[in-house]
Amino acid sequence: MCGIVGYLGNKEAYPILIKGLHRLEYRGYDSAGVALINKNNDLNVYKTRGKVADLEAFAESKDTSGSIGIAHTRWATHGEPNNVNAHPHYSQSETLALIHNGIIENYSVLKKELLSKNYTFSSRTDTEVLIQLIEYIKESNHVDLVTAVQLALGQVVGAYAIAVVEKGNPDLIIAARKSSPLVVGIGDGEYFLASDASPIIEYTDKVIYLDDEEIAIIRRHEEPKITSIENVEKTPQIQQLSMNLSQLEKGGYPHFMLKEIFEQPRTIRDCMSGRVNVEGTHVVLSGILDNKEKFLKAGRIIICACGTSWHAGLIGMYMLEEYCRIPVVIEYSSEFRYRNPVIYPDDIVIAISQSGETADTLAAVELAKSRGAFIYGICNVVGSSISRATHGGSYTHAGPEIGVASTKAFTAQVSVLTLMTLAIGKVKGVISEENYLRITKELQSVPAKMEKTLLLNDQIKEFSKIFTYAKNFIYLGRGYNYPLALEGALKLKEISYIHAEGYPAAEMKHGPIALIDTEMPVVVIATKKGMYEKVVSNIQEIKARKGKVIAIVTEGDEIVKEISDYCIEVPLTEECLVPLVAAIPLQLLAYYIAVTKGRDVDQPRNLAKSVTVE
Ligand code: G6P
């Protein structure tokens, strides 16, 4: 989703801003722009529809000098992606420029008012309304820019992360946030601003994460000043970033997605590190131990998430019910937050989010908190909004995930949910010692089994070419493999734009079977244990209707191999851990189909990595 970069210091701002925009490309966007103040104090704005490279081409012959600037990648919400709607937006007099992430919900009321004051608008955006409002307040109240921004934000309903610069004022950037992340980086005599830390990391590891309704006043040669919208001064909390630059680069892989698929054995090891003892007999999850009483008393667990995180949550639901004997429900955050759900004080809400910034999940957390529930977060991004809004939690430690289609974050989420299941089951004394030891030990062997599964890369690359003709795919699984079927289908549609549906295998008879013909590829996760025989029957039903079966089976399986068209063998593992290993062929299948079709794998059309608007 939209990205913000800002720079104020002693270097040329433009190359830093452009590099920063490239680092934010993974978030998903459709246009880009930059505003710079040069030595003559002119405020130059350049923006264009398309990629950051298009912006660079557009600005090539222009004056891009100056040591202060703000830059933006836009993911359209109000008004189509075009040059005019791209950010930055000038104010009427062209003395102010603003970039904005989020949505100003009351923009039409504010716009009407400004139209009546003879303000005109060139774009269809809510952002232009905000910069006009700031200018109007500044002019009519005769106040400085900081006060004008504070007063304007006081009138705004909605979500925002903004940055403003002013012509003739090359020493000041004003930034503010509400429900949309913003980080200030503190270098040596220079300051950075970004919607996440990735553009900042190569310059400094000292950052301030703005909280909701906070304003950062960044002046040359001064420490950044943080105030509330009501102008109450706050003490800046300077934190240390733990990311490093190499984590943000492709490391020789053609796409971030492929790199992240191959990183999974390591990310799962990192996720377990310090949490499972060397012998594989003991799980220590401090988030659970620190809140032991809450989990002992829990009457119900509600899992809230979106997208891939929701699929991980569904696997978590199966595990937590099976081994912890606590009733679990799973909710799409966007539905939960708006349907006045019944929440009891002994409910535990588990919010799962890779980015930790998903607007709907954050709102679900706030709602559940306001109703007295205990909130536990499973986030990947350290210091993210959801991780800060929860009462306790466990990080997934998967490292930065850049590919829009989530891969390593998904398996890390499932791993954390497994650790939670083991830890809660133990605390409650409901998991048998046998199950506890067997699953803990087996979880430890998952990274090695993932490594073995990754050796299938060339085989999958080869046969995926066969399926580029397909317009539709069906994915089937039962039990723990059902959420994985949903996730496999999501991966394929996200990056190849082929329509794909995931179904519980037995539900096929209630509708999807009507779609099966010689053209229809059906991916069936038919691993041993669980309901293997029943899945074999489902495959027979597909074959009887001449569907093309791609089966994911356990190594050595002969029965499914015999009846399916294509067979991918994965190592045997514990039933609840199969999704960790079997996710890999599904990710690779989607990846290679998308590559063969020439898709933009890391930044698929219309999608955003971090969905900070509802
Ligand atoms: C977007 C991303 C998905 C992700 C979902 C939830 O749609 O493209 O990959 O699963 O948001 O994001 P979260 O950061 O909350 O896990």
Side-chain angles (χ1 to χ4, degrees):
M1 211 142 261
C2 305
I4 283 179
V5 192
Y7 177 78
L8 197 172
N10 39 27
K11 301 194 186 89
E12 278 299 290
Y14 182 71
I16 294 171
L17 295 174
I18 291 292
K19 201 167 187 190
L21 290 185
H22 280 300
R23 292 244 184 262
L24 291 176
E25 281 190 301
Y26 78 95
R27 294 166 69 96
Y29 70 106
D30 42 56
S31 43
V34 60
L36 298 145
I37 302 174
N38 68 12
K39 275 209 184 93
N40 304 328
N41 282 337
D42 301 319
L43 173 58
N44 294 316
V45 170
Y46 310 118
K47 53 187 187 171
T48 180
R49 189 202 160 133
K51 296 282 179 184
V52 177
D54 297 312
L55 173 67
E56 287 176 88
F58 176 74
E60 203 169 4
S61 54
K62 311 265 191 308
D63 173 15
T64 54
S65 64
S67 61
I68 169 173
I70 55 177
H72 191 257
T73 46
R74 173 175 187 251
W75 189 84
T77 55
H78 294 61
E80 61 174 291
N82 61 26
N83 298 351
V84 177
N85 290 333
H87 302 200
H89 285 279
Y90 272 130
S91 61
Q92 180 117 320
S93 65
E94 299 196 354
T95 53
L96 303 177
L98 171 83
I99 53 178
H100 165 224
N101 292 357
I103 294 179
I104 310 292
E105 287 173 12
N106 60 339
Y107 84 104
S108 54
V109 181
L110 297 171
K111 188 169 181 174
K112 224 162 145 189
E113 219 175 296
L114 289 162
L115 284 166
S116 74
K117 312 272 186 225
N118 293 327
Y119 274 76
T120 54
F121 294 84
S122 52
S123 79
R124 304 281 302 267
T125 63
D126 49 343
T127 304
E128 193 183 9
V129 175
L130 179 57
I131 193 62
Q132 302 284 41
L133 178 66
I134 293 170
E135 177 163 298
Y136 170 67
I137 290 173
K138 184 169 179 286
E139 299 300 316
S140 56
N141 294 8
H142 306 291
V143 290
D144 66 6
L145 184 57
V146 173
T147 312
V149 170
Q150 287 168 335
L151 292 173
L153 292 179
Q155 292 187 30
V156 159
V157 178
Y160 54 77
I162 60 161
V164 192
V165 288
E166 184 178 29
K167 182 176 179 167
N169 195 349
D171 299 330
L172 175 69
I173 299 179
I174 301 170
R177 90 155 249 177
K178 185 180 176 195
S179 308
S180 192
L182 206 52
V183 191
V184 180
I186 304 165
D188 189 9
E190 56 185 359
Y191 302 102
F192 305 85
L193 190 68
S195 36
D196 67 49
S198 51
I200 295 178
I201 187 75
E202 62 193 283
Y203 307 105
T204 178
D205 60 358
K206 283 202 293 180
V207 293
I208 302 168
Y209 291 99
L210 289 192
D211 274 330
D212 272 353
E213 306 201 353
E214 280 187 352
I215 298 186
I217 302 151
I218 303 166
R219 286 187 206 279
R220 205 178 287 276
H221 311 309
E222 285 180 24
E223 289 296 308
K225 187 170 149 189
I226 310 293
T227 74
S228 69
I229 288 178
E230 291 80 27
N231 198 26
V232 178
E233 201 164 331
K234 302 198 169 180
T235 315
Q237 303 293 328
I238 299 177
Q239 298 187 28
Q240 182 118 16
L241 281 177
S242 54
M243 257 189 245
N244 63 51
L245 195 55
S246 66
Q247 291 176 307
L248 298 178
E249 318 236 297
K250 283 190 200 146
Y253 286 90
H255 295 100
F256 282 110
M257 183 176 173
L258 192 61
K259 175 187 171 225
E260 287 157 5
I261 291 172
F262 273 83
E263 275 175 355
Q264 290 175 106
R266 186 181 53 72
T267 54
I268 304 307
R269 284 193 184 102
D270 289 350
C271 178
M272 283 189 294
S273 163
R275 291 166 167 175
V276 182
N277 66 341
V278 185
E279 295 76 31
T281 53
H282 198 51
V283 172
V284 179
L285 209 52
S286 55
I288 304 295
L289 292 180
D290 294 349
N291 300 288
K292 203 171 156 180
E293 295 308 314
K294 297 279 177 197
F295 286 94
L296 278 172
K297 281 202 325 245
R300 179 175 64 156
I301 290 175
I302 304 169
I303 299 177
C304 288
C306 306
T308 289
S309 298
W310 191 93
H311 296 155
L314 190 54
I315 297 170
M317 170 177 145
Y318 284 21
M319 278 193 289
L320 288 161
E321 287 210 334
E322 181 167 4
Y323 296 110
C324 302
R325 310 311 298 157
I326 304 174
V328 183
V329 289
I330 178 149
E331 300 266 3
Y332 289 107
S333 306
S334 54
E335 289 296 311
F336 180 78
R337 65 179 286 197
Y338 283 119
R339 64 171 186 75
N340 194 13
V342 177
I343 303 171
Y344 300 109
D346 66 349
D347 279 339
I348 291 182
V349 171
I350 300 179
I352 309 178
S353 174
Q354 185 285 128
S355 61
E357 302 294 347
T358 301
D360 283 321
T361 304
L362 186 55
V365 163
E366 297 299 354
L367 172 78
K369 225 158 106 177
S370 71
R371 306 243 175 125
F374 175 78
I375 323 288
Y376 199 87
I378 300 179
C379 294
N380 191 38
V381 178
V382 176
S384 55
S385 302
I386 293 172
S387 69
R388 286 184 289 144
T390 45
H391 298 115
S394 302
Y395 283 115
T396 46
H397 297 308
E401 190 179 63
I402 309 293
V404 163
S406 184
T407 52
K408 63 173 181 172
F410 169 72
T411 46
Q413 287 164 344
V414 175
S415 302
V416 167
L417 285 158
T418 311
L419 294 171
M420 283 180 70
T421 301
L422 294 164
I424 299 168
K426 188 78 167 177
V427 160
K428 286 187 60 144
V430 289
I431 188 168
S432 70
E433 193 61 11
E434 190 198 333
N435 282 340
Y436 180 84
L437 289 174
R438 198 187 61 254
I439 297 171
T440 309
K441 192 103 203 131
E442 189 54 28
L443 182 61
Q444 270 199 326
S445 69
V446 162
K449 292 186 177 178
M450 284 178 146
E451 271 154 6
K452 196 164 180 213
T453 309
L454 283 164
L455 299 175
L456 299 169
N457 179 65
D458 292 350
Q459 181 200 343
I460 296 171
K461 182 178 180 177
E462 224 18 68
F463 91 79
S464 63
K465 291 181 190 143
I466 301 166
F467 298 103
T468 44
Y469 76 87
K471 301 243 172 317
N472 300 285
F473 260 76
I474 294 178
Y475 285 70
L476 301 176
R478 295 177 84 127
Y480 288 101
N481 290 341
Y482 157 53
L484 185 62
L486 296 179
E487 176 59 10
L490 179 64
K491 284 299 83 98
L492 186 72
K493 64 187 142 196
E494 279 179 318
I495 58 169
S496 72
Y497 317 149
I498 294 174
H499 171 245
E501 293 288 341
Y503 259 89
E507 271 293 302
M508 186 184 62
K509 289 193 216 48
H510 303 287
I513 201 162
L515 301 172
I516 291 173
D517 60 15
T518 51
E519 300 276 280
M520 176 67 91
V522 186
V523 179
V524 189
I525 308 144
T527 46
K528 284 273 169 61
K529 298 203 189 162
M531 284 163 283
Y532 173 74
E533 283 80 16
K534 295 196 186 301
V535 179
V536 172
S537 305
N538 296 134
I539 295 177
Q540 299 283 16
E541 289 158 4
I542 302 161
K543 285 316 297 171
R545 285 153 189 89
K546 301 196 165 36
K548 292 264 169 301
V549 172
I550 305 160
I552 315 286
V553 299
T554 309
E555 270 172 1
D557 184 306
E558 289 302 329
I559 300 168
V560 176
K561 208 173 196 173
E562 185 75 27
I563 55 173
S564 57
D565 299 85
Y566 306 93
C567 213
I568 301 168
E569 296 184 45
V570 297
L572 176 72
T573 186
E574 185 67 30
E575 198 184 335
C576 63
L577 303 179
V578 169
L580 290 172
V581 177
I584 289 175
L586 300 185
Q587 294 163 348
L588 289 171
L589 182 68
Y591 173 77
Y592 284 114
I593 291 178
V595 168
T596 314
K597 287 177 87 73
R599 305 300 192 213
D600 189 349
V601 172
D602 283 335
Q603 293 156 39
R605 71 181 179 203
N606 303 338
L607 295 181
K609 181 72 189 159
S610 172
V611 180
T612 48
V613 296
E614 62 174 284

